[in-house]
Amino acid sequence: MNLRFLGVGETGDLGDLYLSLLREGHDVRVAVSEPAAQGTLAGLCPTVEDWRSELEWVRQAGADGVILFEAVSEGLGALQDQLRRQGFNVIGGSAYGDRLENDRLYGQQVLAELGFPQGHVWRFKQADAAEAFIAGRPGRYVLKYDGAKHSSGDNYVGQDADGRDVAAMLRSRRAQGAPADTFILMEFIDGVEMGVGAYFDGARFLRPACLDWEHKRFFAGDLGELTGEMGTVVTYERTQRFFELTLARMESRLREHGHVGYVNLNTIVNEDGIWPIEFTSRFGYPGFAILAPLQDPGWGDLLRTMVEGGASSLPVRPGFCVGVVLTTPPFPYTRKQVMEPVGLPVLIEPQVDPRHIHFGEVGLDASGQLVTSGIYGWTLVVTGEGMTIAAAQAEAYGHARRVLIPNARYRLDIGDRLIAGDYARVERLGLLDSAQA
């Protein structure tokens, strides 16, 4: 039986998910509120101007109607909670999930209550107070701002052993008249950065969880700006042990607050333990698209499972999936900061398996040509599967070479560090399930 899905977002971040639902035969309508993003999904997916005017359309479907929220913008979590109280099936987040993600110190306090390491994170409201702290306690720090309005590029990973560069960044932002928003300083912890994520249906996590290794810098070799994400390695294999040590501890709290959606906990792991960094309490982009090839049910079946509840497992495929983000200018900035044209042609050679092409900011022009759109230049994601990271990586880059977009840029090293030793290090730390014979 087909379902009705109403997508609610600013820039159409879940475009690949909506298109998958349409291919599966479901009814989909999407609201894209950002004026500069109206070209995204144009000609590919039905769009509406005001999602609120579509609520009756969803309600008429009864249990087969679902509202999907993309983001954690201010107030959206509370709005989702309100819609659930009104009887709607809503997948995306919650007010609690928003606070876990946007209020970084609160998220760390929750984790400390659950037994995770603490004492390595400090919150500040004024830059001069943070500068004085660094002067009195020299060290290497990571600067992260609170709130959904801050992009990854606002954060800074310090390089200097005494913190002088972080203090200089704070002074620079103050001199430029940046908003005096709250922020945290986190003690820099050396190790392997890895995340663990799972779908939460309001009562329990669907097992297995996934493990992911994100690549956030713009350039290969982890150089350049911090972006949302340039590529990721994911797997559902050998994940139970790390999940039980980390995200599974959140199950009762998420149940208490009625959260329904995907939840990810990013961490640093080393010989001293597991150090949580931050929550993502929503669909992650491009993470949701990179997971899709490893999930046996289509998105419609998976989302139906979440709203119906009662299931405890998710059918998944073995091996790894590697995702590579293909971007165009002005990424990693926006067209509100740097004027770059939209409408660049996107050509995909017919040999490419369509399961491994995940549209981002694209749409059809008047002639029916697939073209770039939106405000970021986050054009599309290619993926590849394999029983090893190297095999999945090779397939992903084989697909990337068959996508032709003028001025496209992407990293050529997604997965290299894992192959070179990081995955083996995680294994030596005893954080993975035993390998099957």
Side-chain angles (χ1 to χ4, degrees), residues 311-329:
S312 60
S313 62
L314 169 70
V316 296
R317 296 163 62 93
F320 297 86
C321 190
V322 170
V324 182
V325 179
L326 277 60
T327 72
T328 51

Side-chain angles (χ1 to χ4, degrees), residues 358-379:
H358 311 274
F359 289 164
E361 289 186 309
V362 298
L364 298 180
D365 67 10
S367 70
Q369 170 66 52
L370 189 67
V371 296
T372 61
S373 65
I375 65 174
Y376 297 108
W378 200 297
T379 305

